[in-house]
Amino acid sequence: MPGGIPMFGITGASGTGKTTVLEALIRALRERGWRVAALKHSPGGFSLDRPGKDSWRLARAGAEAVLLHSPGSWAVLGYGAEHLDPARLAEALAAFYHSLGLPRPDVILVEGHHHLEIPSVHVQGPGPSRDPGPGSLRVARGPQDAPELAVLVEETLGLRRPEVATP
């Protein structure tokens, strides 16, 4: 439980619907009153910046991180760390929330990173069955499984129902 925030994984092959299941699970957990953060593995890389924008220019100038802030949203773009441990990212997220005075998430849902030693479900998708792996608690077929998965997340992580639901 890095940073004191429990983690739960969603694994599966590319194209099986992991993100769709994760999206539905986030909604189901939010409806049950939980604060949720997500950690998405993107093995092919990604870019949130657009060439010519200020944050892009700052990164190209050598900034190792750029914090973007506007009313109602924020993001941190980090550069140059080739092999970050996802568990360390969870610790960093907890510390970041704390340092900003934000209430921390109750759970971090991790898409991908099947090698992490955290409880997980394996999204099978519509294709032929594959071995979900030894750490998987169950197989999910699609977003319709989200209500059951929300209960599984609560029970597996020992989450206690929050007093007041957050929007």
Side-chain angles (χ1 to χ4, degrees):
M1 201 163 40
I5 303 174
M7 298 171 72
F8 193 95
I10 307 295
T11 65
S14 178
T16 56
K18 293 183 305 292
T19 300
T20 303
V21 170
L22 182 58
E23 192 177 16
L25 178 55
I26 289 169
R27 285 189 183 106
L29 287 167
R30 292 292 292 165
E31 288 170 3
R32 296 171 73 81
W34 299 109
R35 298 179 59 82
V36 181
L39 172 59
K40 178 168 177 33
H41 188 217
S42 185
F46 66 93
S47 176
L48 299 176
D49 273 335
R50 290 180 294 172
K53 297 304 286 181
D54 291 350
S55 54
W56 180 87
R57 291 173 55 200
L58 298 172
R60 294 311 164 272
E64 293 180 8
V66 176
L67 178 92
L68 302 170
H69 176 254
S70 66
S73 63
W74 53 269
V76 176
L77 305 176
Y79 303 94
E82 292 295 319
H83 302 286
L84 285 177
D85 177 357
R88 296 292 307 266
L89 290 173
E91 292 171 11
L93 181 64
F96 192 70
Y97 268 75
H98 177 75
S99 69
L100 294 177
L102 298 171
R104 71 179 194 141
D106 297 306
V107 61
I108 299 173
L109 299 178
V110 180
E111 180 180 337
H113 290 299
H114 60 86
H115 61 281
L116 282 179
E117 294 182 17
I118 59 173
S120 65
V121 297
H122 182 82
V123 178
Q124 193 67 55
S129 293
R130 291 190 176 134
D131 179 20
S136 184
L137 299 174
R138 68 165 275 188
V139 170
R141 292 284 176 185
Q144 69 277 5
D145 294 342
E148 294 172 25
L149 295 177
V151 172
L152 180 66
V153 168
E154 289 174 334
E155 291 174 353
T156 302
L157 299 178
L159 299 177
R160 302 288 179 250
R161 299 285 285 173
E163 295 291 324
V164 179
T166 52

